[in-house]
Amino acid sequence: MVKTGKLRSGAAQKLKRWKKGHSSDSNPQTSRYRQAARSRFFSRPSGKSDLTVDALKLHNDLQAGRLERGGDGASDAMEDAALTERTSGTFLSGLSDCSNLTFRKVQRYWESNSAAHKEICAVLAAVTEVIRSQGGKETETEYFAALMTTLEAVESSESLAAVAYLLNLVMKRVPAPVLIKKFSDTAKAFMDIMSKQASADSVSSLRWVLSCVATLLRKQDLSVWSYPSTLQVYHGLLSFTVHSKPKVRKAAQQGICAVLRGSDCMFSDNAPSHHPAAVTTAKYCIKELEQAGGNKEDTTTLHVLGLLKELIATFPLSSVKLCCETLLRVMTLSHVLVTAGAMQAFHKLFTRKPSSSTLSAELNAQIITALYDYMPSENDLQPLLGWLAVMEKAHVHLSSLQSSLSLGHLPRLFSTTMSCLLSPHAQVVSAASQTLKILINECMAPHMAEIGPVLPSTSTGNGLYICKMFRVVEEGLSYRFHASWPFVLQIIGCFYRAAGKQAHPIMTKSLQSLCDLRATPRFPFCGELDLAIGRAVESMGPRVVLSAVPLLITGTDDDLEFPRSWLIPVIRDHVKNTQLAYFTSYFLPLASTLKQKAAELEQSGQKLIAKVYQTLQLQIWTMLPGFCMKPIDLVSSFKGIARSLGMAITEHPDLRMCIYQALRTLIYKSCETEEQKAEVGRFAKNFLPILFNMYTQQPTPGESDPSRLAVLDTVRAYLTITDQNTVSSFLQKALERLVSPDSSEFTRLTVMDLVVTMAAFVDEGTMRQTYEIIKPHLASKDSSIQKKAYRILEEMCGGEKDACNKFVLASVEQLKLTLLDSLKSASSPAKRPRLKCLIHIVKQLNAEHKDFITTLLPEVIICTKEVSVGARKNAYSLLVEIGNAYVRFCGNSQDALNEYLGHVYIGLTGSVTMITCTVLALTRLIYQYKDTLDVSSLEQLLHNVCLLLSCRTREIVKASLAFIKVVIFVLDVKVLASHVTVIMEGIGNMKDDMRRHCRTKLKNIFTKLVRKFGFELVKSMLPAEHHKVLANIHKAEARSKRRKLLSKDEEESDNEEDTPKAKTESIEDILAETDSDESEDEKPKKGQKKPMKQKAQAWLKEGVSDDPLNFLDPKASQRVLATNPDLKKTAKVDHGFKVTSDGRLIIKEDDDDHDDKDDEEIDDILKEAGVKTKKRQKRKMDDDMGDDMDIEPHMKYRAGGIGIHRPLGRREESGVDFKAKKGKGDIKKKGKCDPYAYIPLKKAQLNRRKKAKLQGQFKGMVRGVKKGAQLGKKMQKMKRKA
């Protein structure tokens, strides 16, 4: 017997006890497998099943109806076998194999536990069986007829809902002629059900019937809508839009919207501008709004406003006018939610951008004027944001209808919106500034060209409105707007950019005000102000800006503070599309004066001031590239500055980079017409010799000229617009200098660089002459000369002009001989341009030159192991180009590639280097032509490469492993499965030294095979020495899967719980918070019940300075606030990191992201195939790089504590930061406390047993301080004596 006794103390609390009365329960609490089994349809029901009984009842009803199925015998047989397994299976076969795609959604419901879903499945199965029994094809029309018959026969609300749901699905696919013909019968059936179910508790059937009615009405012709019966059906649907049940109301409202906006008759050729039922819908909405009367307890007003919001843009003009008048009347009730709904309706009306037949410009303007009476208070945050959004959309739409009328209304809105910048709410200020910028860009900027010049004396027309708007914006620079100056400056900058070109005369004063503000000490918004001035420079041009705010730099009697010097970088960054002549007439003389002034000051010994003037002069020259960006007077003004630029290049080395950049900008960005190109190209004979001299000028030994590459870029740019004869003459002179015996080595190299640049821009005859001159240099022993000679040949062969193509075709035989003869003498640096030449030549060869291509192959294959990355890349590209040439010659891709690969296979019989290079070449070709290659040849190649794995040469084995890796990626899994054994045998035959050296590549291959074929299969094929690494790969894969799942779950939970809602700009979101503010004063005290949240609360703002509130004042409605004025919200700072429950930040490193593994794998394959170049990196000692290829997990343990857990590293002594680097003692550091001996307060210091130890520490500390003080005194005495 078991010994009985009491439990140990405290054990009773740890035991899990049964609840009272459940001590006999032994089943688990969760029974998901039982639930799954219980939900199966093909098993005997465990209890009373509504599914089977109702299904049989429905089936019997169907047999008694019009769609009879067989005879009574079938019905009796079904009835008798009501609860048999066979009956259940036969019944649901109509659902499981239903061939109509309309019911795909229903087929997901058969495993659902919902009674409604089961009912839907039962009805569908029964109807399908009936259609099949009568030989139907299961079309939508047949289902529609059967379901309509069923709809009249069913009695229970559950079956009625199921039939209505299926009808809702199928009616969307029934052909329109069927619904048109059966409209009367179908509508009558639906209307009967709607009248019966209107007051029922269950709404599921009603909502689907409403959806069916909407679909039926959408399919009707235009002529049907003239019948009263059609309108009667429509009104029946319309009456449910204010139903008390939300689902019914939503279905009716969606149906009405679908009818008015998506009816088939609205998309026909003779479609009317508005639906025939639009007018009656508008009248219904107006009647319901007037009857509700804005009663706070009656929600009908809100329901109608929700419907009107979606439909108002579909009404005709007369109905829109009546609706708008009703909306404005409803808004006078000062009910917060009603006002918000009306504003949403107006916003939708303007956002949809209706035509003038719906919303005319006059009505739009009248609505704008009326809405000013409903402007909320500046302290009412959300309603004010909504009002601004509505007014913005209203003016933008009015501008699209009639620009002049829109401009007339803009000044008042500008004035109102600018007053919003005084609001204490940052959201209001930001929204107001954004509204003004949108109005400027969309309502004013597109029409400025039509308005023409705007002068201060303009007193009529649209110019007057522009003046008024700018004066309102300019007032924002006054001090009372100082808190919103950043936004004001943005608005002014936007105004400058939109209207500065035409309206600059009225903006002079504002420019002066901005410069005065910029001169204010410690002005905090210099960045915004500079941007505003920059916008003025863009639109008005620097001439207008500097006439309003002079630079105040003359070079004589200047204020050495140079208060306006900040204008120079602003002009430099923003000047474009301006007059180049202004730089010539104003800035060039100023720069010359400043240069002369700097030289005079330098001579007089005032070097600092001279440096300032020199810097100003350089800054002025930096503006030149901006002036060269699409100047408006290029043709007439370039000749005036060309001579100065040439002289500056020659005489002033510090200005060369600016001038080179300006010339390139002028050529690439500004020379758009032939006239402009001819004008700038006319000075090529002047600029190019200067640039040539700059490049061929040898720098002083020990110094480097940073502008040499810029010179070549500028020469290349100028050659694009230079006459071909001029370039040919320059090239002739360069070649003469190249072959001259007097030229030095540096001169030859620089001249060859210039020839490389010019080679592609000359005629065919000059190219041949150039080729004859450089041909001896292709065999030069000097690698630099040889490389540049090949570069010249590359430019001539690969140029885009017709002369280059003609040269290659005419000289192809000579080029072949030259390139083959110079093969042995080609140096390694010259390989890259040589291979590039061959690429260009091979592209233009035909089948006659196949022998030449075959002769090239060994050289190209060997170059795949060149040191130069560029050479290797070009070698792989040439291999592919040769393959394309074979395909081009042969026609049949597979035969051509087999022939091509046959020539490449020969390399496998050569030396070690040749075998390695051949395997690399084959790898690239396999990857390139993976979709074209014959599988049998690829399999044979794989077998041969696997034999190379037993080789003792590391390079061959590494290349073979790279080939296998690419083959695993390329081959289909089914094809690869038959060759896994061969791959494994080859890997198993590798020498131990090779296995250790190539462990990383092997591990990569094993990982790919495990992912494709599974761990057990790969393990069974490999020898025992590989099992350890396989086990580690298996663990790593499982670990990465777990991490992915965990991270995915965490992200989902974080997104659900912690992620804030994205802020949108819709009017619904703006106005949704009007009733969400709750006063902190009304929080329930402890012990009290929490009061119910009252929706649509409103606050009344009292008069200022105890003045009584006048309710007769027209602006009294602005005192009714939807936001508690006493409530202050604390804005949460979004720092971009997730936060734990205790407030700590969660900061994830980039390395923790495992989403990039697939991209890395593809990159790895591309590198092995030679598509991407491999970068040589330092070898990293990763945790998976051990000799045994074990995967060591990162140590999660961190030392800390006492005993064996103590940190092994020495603790840093306190006060080390204050120790002097030189000498003894401590030093004071800025921003830190004084270097006293601070003693940390610890709880352990209160321990009486450690008292003696602590006293010893203090004594030693005091002793050290005294010693230091004595040393300090001695040192001070020594200093005094000295």
Side-chain angles (χ1 to χ4, degrees):
M1 288 181 67
V2 179
K3 185 177 179 180
T4 61
K6 290 185 176 181
L7 291 171
R8 194 174 55 183
S9 176
Q13 298 175 359
K14 299 178 182 178
L15 292 175
K16 186 176 182 181
R17 295 191 176 276
W18 286 292
K19 293 180 181 179
K20 189 175 181 180
H22 293 271
S23 59
S24 62
D25 292 350
S26 60
N27 289 336
Q29 292 177 354
T30 57
S31 54
R32 57 178 176 173
Y33 296 107
R34 295 187 182 189
Q35 293 291 337
R38 197 174 290 130
S39 67
R40 291 175 187 156
F41 287 104
F42 300 107
S43 62
R44 176 181 289 276
S46 58
K48 184 181 178 182
S49 175
D50 293 335
L51 175 64
T52 306
V53 174
D54 283 349
L56 289 173
K57 185 174 181 299
L58 174 65
H59 187 62
N60 293 334
D61 291 337
L62 286 171
Q63 286 180 325
R66 286 185 304 172
L67 295 174
E68 290 190 357
R69 180 187 172 195
D72 296 330
S75 174
D76 295 336
M78 287 286 289
E79 233 173 320
D80 293 339
L83 296 176
T84 60
E85 307 260 15
R86 187 174 166 223
T87 303
S88 179
T90 305
F91 165 68
L92 283 172
S93 63
L95 168 68
S96 59
D97 59 354
C98 177
S99 60
N100 198 306
L101 296 178
T102 306
F103 303 107
R104 283 176 301 180
K105 188 177 180 181
V106 179
Q107 289 171 348
R108 298 201 306 265
Y109 291 161
W110 77 277
E111 288 185 344
S112 173
N113 292 326
S114 169
H117 289 172
K118 290 178 180 178
E119 188 70 26
I120 292 170
C121 294
V123 171
L124 178 61
V127 170
T128 305
E129 285 296 316
V130 170
I131 292 173
R132 287 176 180 172
S133 67
Q134 295 188 353
K137 298 180 180 179
E138 298 184 43
T139 62
E140 286 84 1
T141 306
E142 291 171 345
Y143 273 105
F144 171 64
L147 287 170
M148 286 303 298
T149 306
T150 308
L151 189 69
E152 298 172 357
V154 293
E155 295 177 359
S156 65
S157 59
E158 293 81 6
S159 300
L160 183 64
V163 175
Y165 174 76
L166 293 172
L167 268 173
N168 170 57
L169 289 180
V170 78
M171 284 182 69
K172 294 173 182 175
R173 291 175 172 263
V174 173
V178 176
L179 294 179
I180 293 172
K181 187 173 182 180
K182 293 292 182 182
F183 173 68
S184 180
D185 298 336
T186 309
K188 184 177 182 302
F190 286 148
M191 290 295 287
D192 292 341
I193 295 173
M194 287 163 60
S195 60
K196 292 177 184 178
Q197 298 289 328
S199 58
D201 294 333
S202 176
V203 298
S204 55
S205 58
L206 185 57
R207 61 187 289 215
W208 298 124
V209 169
L210 291 173
S211 181
C212 292
V213 172
T215 306
L216 183 66
L217 290 171
R218 281 178 53 200
K219 301 292 183 179
Q220 302 309 309
D221 286 334
L222 198 60
S223 59
V224 176
W225 285 96
S226 60
Y227 304 143
S229 57
T230 309
L231 291 177
Q232 185 180 0
V233 175
Y234 180 77
H235 277 287
L237 177 62
L238 193 59
S239 62
F240 284 94
T241 56
V242 291
H243 197 273
S244 58
K245 297 293 179 65
K247 289 185 178 179
V248 175
R249 186 172 64 248
K250 183 179 179 182
Q253 290 191 359
Q254 287 179 344
I256 293 294
C257 293
V259 170
L260 292 188
R261 291 199 305 218
S263 294
D264 292 353
C265 62
M266 298 301 295
F267 299 98
S268 59
D269 295 334
N270 56 345
S273 58
H274 304 283
H275 196 277
V279 177
T280 186
T281 308
K283 290 178 180 178
Y284 175 81
C285 293
I286 293 169
K287 185 187 72 172
E288 290 293 330
L289 285 175
E290 290 176 347
Q291 286 180 354
N295 188 0
K296 293 188 177 180
E297 302 302 327
D298 189 4
T299 57
T300 305
T301 304
L302 298 177
H303 299 159
V304 176
L305 286 175
L307 176 63
L308 203 55
K309 176 181 68 175
E310 300 297 330
L311 296 180
I312 192 169
T314 63
F315 296 160
L317 179 59
S318 57
S319 300
V320 170
K321 186 174 182 180
L322 292 174
C323 289
C324 290
E325 290 172 355
T326 307
L327 288 174
L328 292 172
R329 281 200 301 272
V330 168
M331 288 172 66
T332 58
L333 302 172
S334 299
H335 187 276
V336 174
L337 292 180
V338 172
T339 304
M343 294 297 285
Q344 289 175 6
F346 280 123
H347 188 270
K348 279 283 186 182
L349 174 63
F350 297 125
T351 306
R352 294 277 172 84
K353 296 183 178 178
S355 62
S356 56
S357 61
T358 296
L359 181 64
S360 63
E362 291 76 15
L363 180 58
N364 194 332
Q366 290 171 5
I367 296 172
I368 289 172
T369 306
L371 284 175
Y372 281 107
D373 296 333
Y374 302 95
M375 179 184 175
S377 170
E378 61 182 16
N379 296 316
D380 211 359
L381 178 61
Q382 295 300 333
L384 184 55
L385 294 177
W387 186 86
L388 285 172
V390 171
M391 295 298 279
E392 173 198 314
K393 296 296 181 184
H395 283 79
V396 170
H397 184 254
L398 180 58
S399 177
S400 65
L401 294 175
Q402 191 174 340
S403 60
S404 58
L405 190 57
S406 171
L407 288 171
H409 281 77
L410 280 177
R412 184 178 179 184
L413 182 59
F414 265 64
S415 179
T416 307
T417 311
M418 282 298 293
S419 65
C420 293
L421 296 180
L422 298 172
S423 172
H425 298 288
Q427 287 177 274
V428 173
V429 176
S430 177
S433 65
Q434 189 65 26
T435 298
L436 287 174
K437 287 190 283 187
I438 290 173
L439 292 173
I440 291 169
N441 290 327
E442 297 191 20
C443 300
M444 193 182 73
H447 309 292
M448 284 307 300
E450 302 172 10
I451 295 171
V454 179
L455 303 174
S457 59
T458 304
S459 58
T460 56
N462 294 333
L464 178 61
Y465 302 139
I466 302 296
C467 293
K468 288 181 179 179
M469 284 186 280
F470 188 74
R471 289 194 195 103
V472 171
V473 173
E474 191 178 14
E475 191 183 350
L477 295 176
S478 60
Y479 186 73
R480 67 193 186 105
F481 288 91
H482 73 280
S484 305
W485 271 347
F487 298 98
V488 174
L489 291 170
Q490 291 177 20
I491 298 165
I492 289 177
C494 191
F495 214 115
Y496 284 156
R497 183 167 57 181
K501 189 174 183 181
Q502 289 83 11
H504 61 82
I506 65 171
M507 300 176 177
T508 306
K509 184 182 175 183
S510 64
L511 289 171
Q512 295 169 354
S513 302
L514 290 179
C515 286
D516 293 341
L517 276 178
R518 186 67 163 72
T520 307
R522 297 181 183 177
F523 182 67
F525 311 118
C526 291
E528 290 85 352
L529 193 147
D530 290 352
L531 196 59
I533 296 290
R535 299 279 187 251
V537 171
E538 285 181 23
S539 59
M540 305 178 198
R543 184 192 296 272
V544 175
V545 174
L546 291 180
S547 64
V549 280
L551 203 55
L552 302 182
I553 300 174
T554 60
T556 56
D557 299 330
D558 289 324
D559 181 1
L560 295 181
E561 292 292 332
F562 298 107
R564 298 271 177 87
S565 59
W566 57 270
L567 279 169
I568 297 177
V570 171
I571 295 173
R572 177 197 64 205
D573 295 339
H574 295 91
V575 64
K576 60 182 178 181
N577 299 333
T578 187
Q579 297 176 348
L580 184 59
Y582 184 64
F583 185 87
T584 310
S585 61
Y586 177 72
F587 284 109
L588 269 185
L590 179 59
S592 178
T593 305
L594 295 177
K595 180 77 174 176
Q596 187 178 355
K597 181 74 173 179
E600 294 174 359
L601 292 170
E602 184 80 26
Q603 291 178 358
S604 62
Q606 299 178 7
K607 294 185 178 180
L608 183 59
I609 303 175
K611 187 67 177 175
V612 172
Y613 275 101
Q614 179 66 21
T615 305
L616 286 173
Q617 180 244 357
L618 288 175
Q619 286 185 337
I620 287 173
W621 274 100
T622 57
M623 292 190 286
L624 180 60
F627 275 91
C628 291
M629 176 70 77
K630 297 184 179 179
I632 58 177
D633 57 346
L634 174 60
V635 176
S636 60
S637 301
F638 184 69
K639 57 188 175 186
I641 198 175
R643 178 180 175 82
S644 302
L645 295 181
M647 292 175 61
I649 293 173
T650 308
E651 298 172 1
H652 305 297
D654 52 346
L655 304 178
R656 288 172 185 167
M657 293 295 285
C658 292
I659 298 173
Y660 296 157
Q661 183 185 353
L663 288 173
R664 291 196 301 273
T665 304
L666 202 66
I667 293 167
Y668 287 137
K669 303 271 181 79
S670 305
C671 291
E672 297 175 347
T673 64
E674 292 299 327
E675 185 183 8
Q676 291 172 336
K677 291 179 182 178
E679 177 63 21
V680 180
R682 188 164 63 90
F683 293 90
K685 61 181 183 298
N686 306 107
F687 278 108
L688 287 176
I690 297 173
L691 295 173
F692 291 160
N693 291 336
M694 290 297 108
Y695 189 75
T696 55
Q697 190 175 2
Q698 188 167 0
T700 310
E703 294 182 3
S704 60
D705 187 5
S707 64
R708 285 178 59 79
L709 287 176
V711 173
L712 270 185
D713 291 340
T714 309
V715 168
R716 192 173 289 109
Y718 226 118
L719 288 172
T720 58
I721 59 170
T722 306
D723 181 48
Q724 196 176 59
N725 295 329
T726 307
V727 180
S728 300
S729 63
F730 282 130
L731 184 60
Q732 295 282 356
K733 294 177 182 177
L735 293 174
E736 291 173 5
R737 197 169 178 186
L738 177 63
V739 298
S740 173
D742 300 333
S743 300
S744 62
E745 183 181 357
F746 176 82
T747 305
R748 285 198 184 93
L749 290 174
T750 53
V751 168
M752 290 189 82
D753 285 335
L754 296 174
V755 173
V756 169
T757 309
M758 291 186 283
F761 296 95
V762 294
D763 56 88
E764 183 187 351
T766 310
M767 282 187 186
R768 289 180 186 172
Q769 185 181 354
T770 306
Y771 168 67
E772 295 297 333
I773 293 175
I774 65 162
K775 189 193 293 187
H777 296 293
L778 295 175
S780 173
K781 294 182 178 180
D782 188 346
S783 59
S784 300
I785 296 288
Q786 188 184 99
K787 180 180 178 180
K788 292 184 187 300
Y790 275 111
R791 283 283 295 115
I792 296 171
L793 192 58
E794 175 192 342
E795 289 293 328
M796 291 192 294
C797 294
E800 297 178 355
K801 296 198 172 184
D802 295 337
C804 299
N805 298 329
K806 292 178 181 178
F807 165 73
V808 173
L809 293 174
S811 312
V812 64
E813 295 297 334
Q814 297 179 17
L815 289 171
K816 283 166 51 180
L817 292 173
T818 304
L819 291 171
L820 290 176
D821 293 343
S822 61
L823 172 60
K824 295 180 180 179
S825 60
S827 61
S828 182
K831 290 288 186 182
R832 189 195 67 76
R834 175 182 169 84
L835 291 169
K836 198 72 174 176
C837 286
L838 291 170
I839 290 173
H840 295 312
I841 292 171
V842 167
K843 283 181 180 179
Q844 301 192 33
L845 294 181
N846 50 31
E848 300 174 1
H849 306 96
K850 187 182 286 188
D851 295 339
F852 169 67
I853 295 177
T854 308
T855 312
L856 289 177
L857 264 179
E859 178 197 1
V860 182
I861 293 173
I862 286 290
C863 286
T864 56
K865 289 291 286 181
E866 275 291 332
V867 179
S868 167
V869 176
R872 292 200 303 271
K873 188 176 178 181
N874 287 347
Y876 286 124
S877 300
L878 184 53
L879 281 170
V880 173
E881 203 55 54
I882 292 174
N884 294 338
Y886 269 94
V887 173
R888 195 168 65 244
F889 300 159
C890 184
N892 189 347
S893 300
Q894 286 193 356
D895 296 343
L897 290 175
N898 288 334
E899 181 185 356
Y900 178 33
L901 291 177
H903 292 300
V904 180
Y905 291 157
I906 300 173
L908 296 174
T909 61
S911 62
V912 171
T913 306
M914 192 64 188
I915 293 172
T916 306
C917 295
T918 303
V919 174
L920 291 175
L922 288 170
T923 305
R924 178 70 177 94
L925 293 172
I926 293 301
Y927 179 81
Q928 181 67 31
Y929 299 107
K930 55 182 178 289
D931 300 326
T932 314
L933 271 175
D934 188 14
V935 178
S936 59
S937 59
L938 187 57
E939 293 171 355
Q940 182 183 0
L941 179 58
L942 177 62
H943 282 256
N944 292 331
V945 172
C946 287
L947 295 175
L948 295 175
L949 291 174
S950 58
C951 181
R952 294 182 177 273
T953 308
R954 288 181 176 180
E955 293 299 321
I956 295 178
V957 174
K958 284 168 67 177
S960 303
L961 289 174
F963 178 86
I964 290 173
K965 191 191 295 187
V966 173
V967 165
I968 292 173
F969 174 77
V970 166
L971 278 180
D972 185 53
V973 179
K974 295 178 182 178
V975 179
L976 183 63
S978 59
H979 304 289
V980 174
T981 309
V982 179
I983 295 174
M984 294 306 180
E985 287 178 0
I987 292 174
N989 293 333
M990 288 176 64
K991 304 294 186 290
D992 291 341
D993 176 54
M994 294 296 153
R995 184 172 63 84
R996 283 192 295 272
H997 183 72
C998 302
R999 57 187 180 275
T1000 311
K1001 288 183 178 293
L1002 279 174
K1003 181 183 173 184
N1004 204 325
I1005 291 172
F1006 291 157
T1007 304
K1008 287 176 170 54
L1009 291 173
V1010 166
R1011 289 176 183 171
K1012 285 180 180 288
F1013 302 107
F1015 168 72
E1016 296 297 336
L1017 179 64
V1018 177
K1019 184 179 179 181
S1020 64
M1021 293 183 176
L1022 281 174
E1025 57 264 22
H1026 293 286
H1027 288 178
K1028 193 172 183 181
V1029 65
L1030 281 176
N1032 286 323
I1033 290 171
H1034 189 51
K1035 289 178 184 177
E1037 290 293 307
R1039 192 183 303 122
S1040 66
K1041 285 182 181 178
R1042 288 197 301 272
R1043 285 177 181 170
K1044 281 183 180 179
L1045 289 174
L1046 285 173
S1047 62
K1048 188 177 181 181
D1049 293 341
E1050 287 177 6
E1051 286 177 3
E1052 287 178 356
S1053 62
D1054 289 341
N1055 289 339
E1056 290 175 2
E1057 298 174 8
D1058 300 332
T1059 306
K1061 291 182 180 178
K1063 187 176 180 182
T1064 59
E1065 296 180 356
S1066 67
I1067 187 72
E1068 290 83 354
D1069 295 331
I1070 291 174
L1071 294 172
E1073 300 179 14
T1074 54
D1075 60 326
S1076 63
D1077 301 328
E1078 192 170 343
S1079 175
E1080 295 179 354
D1081 301 335
E1082 297 176 4
K1083 288 184 180 178
K1085 296 181 180 177
K1086 193 174 182 182
Q1088 293 180 354
K1089 289 184 178 179
K1090 186 175 180 182
M1092 293 289 290
K1093 184 176 179 182
Q1094 296 179 3
K1095 290 189 176 180
Q1097 286 183 328
W1099 285 264
L1100 193 63
K1101 184 180 178 184
E1102 295 295 338
V1104 184
S1105 304
D1106 296 332
D1107 291 338
L1109 178 59
N1110 182 11
F1111 286 99
L1112 298 177
D1113 188 0
K1115 294 186 178 180
S1117 61
Q1118 295 185 9
R1119 300 297 183 95
V1120 181
L1121 306 182
T1123 310
N1124 189 350
D1126 299 328
L1127 181 63
K1128 295 181 179 178
K1129 291 186 179 180
T1130 55
K1132 291 184 179 179
V1133 181
D1134 183 15
H1135 40 63
F1137 298 110
K1138 296 177 181 176
V1139 185
T1140 59
S1141 57
D1142 56 352
R1144 291 176 295 167
L1145 296 177
I1146 301 173
I1147 302 174
K1148 292 184 178 180
E1149 296 182 2
D1150 294 338
D1151 298 335
D1152 296 339
D1153 242 352
H1154 303 288
D1155 298 335
D1156 299 335
K1157 278 191 174 181
D1158 295 338
D1159 295 338
E1160 291 175 3
E1161 188 173 343
I1162 295 296
D1163 285 345
D1164 186 30
I1165 295 293
L1166 293 177
K1167 288 175 183 176
E1168 297 292 357
V1171 180
K1172 285 190 174 182
T1173 54
K1174 294 184 182 180
K1175 295 180 180 178
R1176 299 186 179 273
Q1177 297 177 338
K1178 294 182 180 178
R1179 184 178 176 182
K1180 297 180 180 178
M1181 299 300 291
D1182 294 333
D1183 51 352
D1184 57 345
M1185 296 287 284
D1187 287 340
D1188 297 326
M1189 291 199 293
D1190 292 342
I1191 299 177
E1192 294 287 333
H1194 288 292
M1195 293 295 290
K1196 295 182 179 178
Y1197 172 74
R1198 293 287 179 268
I1202 57 174
I1204 62 171
H1205 302 289
R1206 70 189 185 280
L1208 299 178
R1210 288 187 62 189
R1211 209 166 39 179
E1212 196 175 27
E1213 296 179 5
S1214 60
V1216 173
D1217 296 340
F1218 299 100
K1219 195 170 184 181
K1221 292 181 181 178
K1222 298 178 181 178
K1224 296 182 179 180
D1226 295 333
I1227 58 173
K1228 287 189 177 185
K1229 288 194 173 181
K1230 187 176 182 182
K1232 289 193 176 184
C1233 50
D1234 291 343
Y1236 299 132
Y1238 294 97
I1239 301 162
L1241 298 175
K1242 298 179 182 176
K1243 188 178 179 182
Q1245 293 173 347
L1246 301 175
N1247 196 331
R1248 286 177 292 177
R1249 290 178 298 162
K1250 298 180 180 179
K1251 187 176 180 181
K1253 182 180 178 181
L1254 291 169
Q1255 286 178 349
Q1257 288 181 355
F1258 278 102
K1259 286 178 181 177
M1261 200 176 296
V1262 172
R1263 197 182 303 116
V1265 171
K1266 287 181 177 179
K1267 187 177 179 181
Q1270 289 174 359
L1271 284 170
K1273 286 181 180 179
K1274 288 181 181 178
M1275 290 176 69
Q1276 286 180 354
K1277 287 180 180 179
M1278 298 271 293
K1279 286 180 180 177
R1280 287 170 189 163
K1281 290 179 180 179

